[in-house]
Amino acid sequence: MKKVILFLIAALNISVASAEKHDFSKYYEVDLDAPIPNLEELAKELNDATEVYDPKYFATWNMGRVFKKVWRDVILNYGTSEKRLRDRGDQELEDMIASLPKETYPYIGPYLHSSPGISEKILNMPGIKETKNKFPERIAPQLQDIEDLEFLSPALYILLMPEMWPENNKPSEKPVLKKVKIKPVLYRPDFYQSLIEQVPNGGFGGANARGERPIQDKIRTINITKESPLTTADIIAFTNTLDGVLAFSTLDNQSKLISTGHLVNFYEVKNGTALDLNTLKDVVNPCQRLALKIKWAGLETEFLKSVSNEGFNLKEWAYTCDKTIKAYRAVLIPDGKLAGLQMYKRGLYDAYLSAYAPKWRERQYATFEALVEMYKTNKNDIREVLKNEKIIKEKLKPFGSVLVSEPLSF
């Protein structure tokens, strides 16, 4: 089944239509005050839900000498019937085929009919049913003179499609390139030297002529919330905790948090608050998700020893961390990614995404919305991060791309 799906991905060509965007913002909210469920019962439910099926024998080369009764019952009740258990990939495969342009069906249909295990529902889809044992009529010009081409394996029929050859898809018109004369910019050392002399030692980020920070930069936020603005003092306090957070990030603690993450995801699936790709939540608010898992794992006291030197409680640390990370992301965002997000916000991808089946379309929209949420910040926080960009970079560098167990994704 996996080979069939990979085969169809190569043929995927999205048609243009319109689509409706969806709001996923509620899924990215993290409630650090929510009560912790019974983790023992939850772990047992998760274990039962993911328990590996027992085949009743050790290996194919050591199946034992006694024919198990369970196999006799299976053969009598299922093996001799025409019933078929639905494969987990059937719906995904059907959705992918439905998303393909009808022009691709003559090139994928014969392969589907020759592949074992494909459901009758798929083989009887309009457009696919008619291609059984049928050779495609439209052949790429590059292959038309090959002898005995009709004996080609159906798995390679997709190569016969003219549109699969890049040289057959050249635009009918070529853009006319105009030469633009650009005047050379002369380097004037005296001009740049005068600029350097006028810039204070502390930069223009709120510093005075002597390079000293104004009084506002020395004040910590008293009541830290998700919406409260960052100050330089908040950021410095947060970065001062990162050495302790790194010490907390032992292999044992990381293992506990990863296991707890499975319980969190399972609990959210049970309660209808999970995304199809639930790890997107960890990318959007890594620090709040980390704090949630720390609470569930019973590591809050140990973690607070690492951050209490700056007066943070777990929730305040998570909020300050996420606000700093998001503003830092916005400072570092590449032009290409920024342009892509702007195009998405203007709805330029809607027509592209509308061709996907509902499940896949929702997943794509959730991913796009997660990218938007990753960079959701404000001018104040960006300004404060710009003042302290160097220290943030220095303190986060030892973590690489993962903060304890959560992705930073800059």
Side-chain angles (χ1 to χ4, degrees):
M1 183 62 68
K2 289 182 179 179
K3 290 182 178 179
V4 175
I5 293 176
L6 291 173
F7 169 77
L8 287 176
I9 290 175
L12 192 60
N13 181 16
I14 303 300
S15 60
V16 177
S18 61
E20 180 183 0
K21 284 186 285 189
H22 302 274
D23 181 19
F24 293 91
S25 57
K26 63 180 180 180
Y27 291 101
Y28 302 119
E29 291 294 323
V30 181
D31 185 1
L32 295 177
D33 294 321
I36 301 175
N38 188 316
L39 298 183
E40 290 186 5
E41 292 182 3
L42 193 64
K44 185 178 183 306
E45 287 185 53
L46 176 60
N47 183 66
D48 293 342
T50 57
E51 187 176 2
V52 177
Y53 173 69
D54 182 9
K56 305 298 182 183
Y57 60 84
F58 177 72
T60 55
W61 44 266
N62 184 15
M63 299 182 69
R65 297 178 179 275
V66 179
F67 192 75
K68 301 290 192 301
K69 182 179 182 298
V70 64
W71 293 118
R72 178 179 180 276
D73 295 340
V74 168
I75 292 172
L76 291 177
N77 298 321
Y78 171 71
T80 57
S81 71
E82 295 181 356
K83 294 180 180 179
R84 176 183 181 275
L85 293 176
R86 186 175 179 84
D87 190 279
R88 284 185 296 178
D90 277 0
Q91 188 59 53
E92 286 80 0
L93 180 58
E94 184 180 339
D95 291 342
M96 292 183 69
I97 295 172
S99 298
L100 291 171
K102 298 298 186 288
E103 292 79 10
T104 63
Y105 284 10
Y107 303 93
I108 65 173
Y111 175 66
L112 293 173
H113 282 286
S114 64
S115 299
I118 304 298
S119 70
E120 290 295 324
K121 183 179 180 181
I122 292 176
L123 297 179
N124 288 321
M125 289 177 63
I128 295 295
K129 181 178 180 180
E130 294 78 9
T131 62
K132 184 176 182 179
N133 299 326
K134 188 175 180 181
F135 191 75
E137 296 178 359
R138 291 191 314 121
I139 308 298
Q142 294 85 345
L143 304 175
Q144 288 180 357
D145 298 330
I146 298 178
E147 294 183 3
D148 300 326
L149 192 61
E150 63 273 17
F151 296 107
L152 183 71
S153 167
L156 299 176
Y157 280 4
I158 190 66
L159 298 178
L160 302 177
M161 186 174 174
E163 290 77 12
M164 291 299 293
W165 294 75
E167 55 266 37
N168 298 335
N169 297 313
K170 293 181 179 179
S172 56
E173 297 182 4
K174 292 184 178 180
V176 179
L177 301 179
K178 295 182 179 180
K179 292 184 178 180
V180 179
K181 293 183 179 180
I182 301 177
K183 294 182 179 181
V185 179
L186 298 177
Y187 175 68
R188 295 169 49 193
D190 56 333
F191 172 73
Y192 289 102
Q193 183 60 35
S194 66
L195 286 181
I196 292 173
E197 293 173 356
Q198 296 178 49
V199 176
N201 294 333
F204 284 119
N208 57 28
R210 291 175 297 179
E212 297 175 349
R213 300 291 187 186
I215 188 64
Q216 293 89 338
D217 286 355
K218 301 178 182 179
I219 299 176
R220 289 278 300 272
T221 303
I222 297 176
N223 183 24
I224 299 175
T225 65
K226 291 182 181 180
E227 293 76 25
S228 60
L230 280 175
T231 68
T232 285
D234 293 334
I235 295 174
I236 295 301
F238 161 66
T239 55
N240 286 342
T241 67
L242 289 178
D243 290 337
V245 174
L246 187 62
F248 168 83
S249 183
T250 62
L251 188 61
D252 182 52
N253 284 343
Q254 289 185 50
S255 177
K256 290 178 181 177
L257 292 171
I258 291 172
S259 299
T260 303
H262 296 316
L263 290 178
V264 171
N265 290 335
F266 180 66
Y267 180 78
E268 290 173 347
V269 169
K270 279 186 58 182
N271 290 275
T273 58
L275 289 166
D276 198 14
L277 296 174
N278 212 41
T279 51
L280 292 173
K281 296 182 177 182
D282 301 283
V283 178
V284 172
N285 292 305
C287 307
Q288 292 177 63
R289 293 287 286 180
L290 174 62
L292 181 68
K293 295 171 187 178
I294 286 173
K295 285 186 64 176
W296 281 39
L299 298 173
E300 184 172 359
T301 301
E302 182 180 348
F303 182 79
L304 285 178
K305 291 179 182 178
S306 305
V307 302
S308 59
N309 59 315
E310 293 295 335
F312 286 114
N313 61 35
L314 183 61
K315 187 161 60 173
E316 290 174 340
W317 180 89
Y319 290 161
T320 305
C321 174
D322 273 339
K323 285 185 284 189
T324 303
I325 294 297
K326 289 186 176 183
Y328 188 55
R329 285 170 175 168
V331 169
L332 299 181
I333 187 171
D335 292 343
K337 182 179 285 188
L338 179 60
L341 291 179
Q342 289 174 335
M343 291 171 64
Y344 166 72
K345 293 296 286 183
R346 292 201 300 266
L348 298 182
Y349 293 134
D350 289 352
Y352 172 81
L353 296 175
S354 67
Y356 281 88
K359 175 182 177 180
W360 298 87
R361 183 167 60 247
E362 293 289 302
R363 182 179 291 185
Q364 291 294 325
Y365 271 121
T367 303
F368 273 117
E369 287 295 320
L371 288 172
V372 173
E373 293 285 336
M374 278 176 58
Y375 297 95
K376 185 172 285 187
T377 183
N378 55 70
K379 292 181 180 179
N380 173 81
D381 291 358
I382 291 176
R383 182 174 61 250
E384 298 303 312
V385 163
L386 279 170
K387 294 179 187 178
N388 303 281
E389 183 179 356
K390 184 177 179 181
I391 185 66
I392 295 172
K393 179 180 179 181
E394 179 184 323
K395 290 292 187 176
L396 286 177
K397 188 175 182 180
F399 293 94
S401 60
V402 179
L403 183 65
V404 188
S405 63
E406 301 300 309
L408 289 175
S409 302
F410 293 123

